[in-house]
Amino acid sequence: MGKYAQLVIGPAGCGKSTYCNHLYEHCQAIKRSVHVVNLDPAAEAFQYPVSLDIRDLVCLEDVMEELGLGPNGGLLYCMEYLEDNLHEWLGEELEGYGDEDYLVFDCPGQIELYNHLSVFRSFVDFLKNDGWSVCVVYCLDAHFVTDVAKFMAGALQALAAMVKLELPHVNILTKVDLMEDKNHLDEFLFPDPELLLHQLAASTGPRFRQLNRAMGGLLEEFSLVSFLPLDITDEDSIADILGQIDMAIQYGEDAEPRIRDELEDGGDDDDDDGGGDGGDDI
């Protein structure tokens, strides 16, 4: 097997760490090894065990104190520092991981890091060059579906991250278990831009009509943005998401020939005991 990784990104407070925790618990339950990596230099506490921690390299609190930066500026500095030290720090940390290892990177929630800056593009390029198969997992709070304008903005952010990172990509609507009304949820899992534009026109003024049409056309042209629902009270929900991610990065596909070989070897032994020549002819 190869080396596999998830890059969990999305806006602040969208449930990235909660997703990582429940993914870890699910993998523990099914006897599957997974290692969670913290890439948020501002993180303070974790529900899951942290295998690697960016705070061993750089910490937001220290940067703000020493350089006199605010939270946003300090976070940008931390991530650029990570970008400058990918080979020295991350390269050394990943030396202990090899075939059959599966990493989940819990990332900070500043949108600029994925949509505008080069840091995460450099990060994924480093992982790919090191032999890792990577899937981006973009988390969006299900609360966004209560306001079509917010949902359109979130969908465009997801699309921007897809275009910027150029990796297999799975979008998740988190916190579905907290929704009171789930009757219209399916409309947003596979969004129809035409339907959304009608709703958007009703909530925005006429002067935004051309802009709304342009945004809808962009989503329709790419036809790439769809979402999977995450309900942390439903074990099948996290299992379905993990299955989709596994397919995206072809996790475990190279294990199938080994299973077939073992079965064939066993079959040869049986044939030898009871007349293997017929099997050789086949």
Side-chain angles (χ1 to χ4, degrees):
M1 294 179 64
K3 301 184 292 185
Y4 303 93
Q6 294 184 27
L7 194 66
V8 184
I9 65 176
C14 67
K16 296 184 295 296
S17 295
T18 300
Y19 162 76
C20 291
N21 178 56
H22 283 275
L23 176 65
Y24 176 82
E25 291 180 347
H26 175 75
C27 289
Q28 289 290 104
I30 63 175
K31 309 298 182 184
R32 177 166 161 180
S33 176
V34 64
H35 308 276
V36 186
V37 180
N38 172 48
L39 281 186
D40 186 355
E44 296 180 354
F46 306 95
Q47 294 176 292
Y48 51 79
V50 179
S51 297
L52 297 177
D53 194 341
I54 190 178
R55 296 175 303 174
D56 295 334
L57 172 70
V58 61
C59 176
L60 177 60
E61 185 177 355
D62 295 338
V63 168
M64 292 173 58
E65 182 178 347
E66 293 179 12
L67 300 182
L69 296 174
N72 291 334
L75 181 57
L76 292 179
Y77 176 90
C78 290
M79 302 312 294
E80 289 175 348
Y81 189 81
L82 169 65
E83 184 177 16
D84 293 338
N85 291 273
L86 280 174
H87 293 273
E88 290 77 6
W89 180 73
L90 187 61
E92 291 181 3
E93 294 289 346
L94 293 182
E95 286 180 358
Y97 297 91
D99 287 347
E100 303 188 25
D101 277 318
Y102 198 112
L103 300 183
V104 178
F105 292 93
D106 188 3
C107 301
Q110 196 160 357
I111 295 300
E112 294 92 329
L113 299 174
Y114 322 117
N115 293 349
H116 307 319
L117 303 180
S118 64
V119 53
F120 272 95
R121 182 55 190 262
S122 299
F123 182 81
V124 299
D125 287 344
F126 174 82
L127 290 178
K128 289 193 296 183
N129 291 335
D130 196 38
W132 293 85
S133 298
V134 186
C135 180
V136 174
V137 179
Y138 190 94
C139 297
L140 187 69
D141 194 325
H143 177 70
F144 275 48
V145 306
T146 62
D147 186 330
V148 66
K150 290 174 63 176
F151 178 78
M152 288 286 286
L156 288 172
Q157 289 174 358
L159 178 60
M162 295 170 71
V163 173
K164 180 75 173 178
L165 298 178
E166 295 183 302
L167 285 172
H169 199 107
V170 172
N171 298 311
I172 298 175
L173 275 183
T174 60
K175 307 181 184 179
V176 169
D177 51 292
L178 300 181
M179 295 182 64
E180 295 182 359
D181 182 9
K182 303 179 184 179
N183 292 329
H184 302 289
L185 182 62
D186 289 345
E187 298 177 8
F188 297 92
L189 298 181
F190 300 95
D192 181 349
E194 285 296 326
L195 180 62
L196 294 178
L197 283 178
H198 287 297
Q199 299 179 37
L200 195 59
S203 62
T204 58
R207 60 177 178 169
F208 294 106
R209 187 173 302 144
Q210 187 173 357
L211 175 61
N212 294 341
R213 190 178 301 114
M215 291 190 299
L218 186 62
L219 290 175
E220 187 172 22
E221 179 182 354
F222 278 88
S223 298
L224 293 173
V225 181
S226 60
F227 292 87
L228 296 173
L230 174 61
D231 182 344
I232 62 173
T233 65
D234 183 1
E235 195 68 18
D236 289 338
S237 175
I238 191 69
D240 290 342
I241 290 172
L242 181 58
Q244 291 288 336
I245 296 170
D246 286 347
M247 285 193 293
I249 56 178
Q250 299 180 323
Y251 174 81
E253 286 196 0
D254 54 352
E256 186 176 347
R258 292 204 297 269
I259 296 174
R260 186 181 297 115
D261 290 342
E262 292 173 2
L263 292 175
E264 290 175 352
D265 290 342
D268 290 342
D269 292 340
D270 292 340
D271 289 341
D272 289 341
D273 292 337
D277 291 342
D280 292 339
D281 290 339
I282 294 173

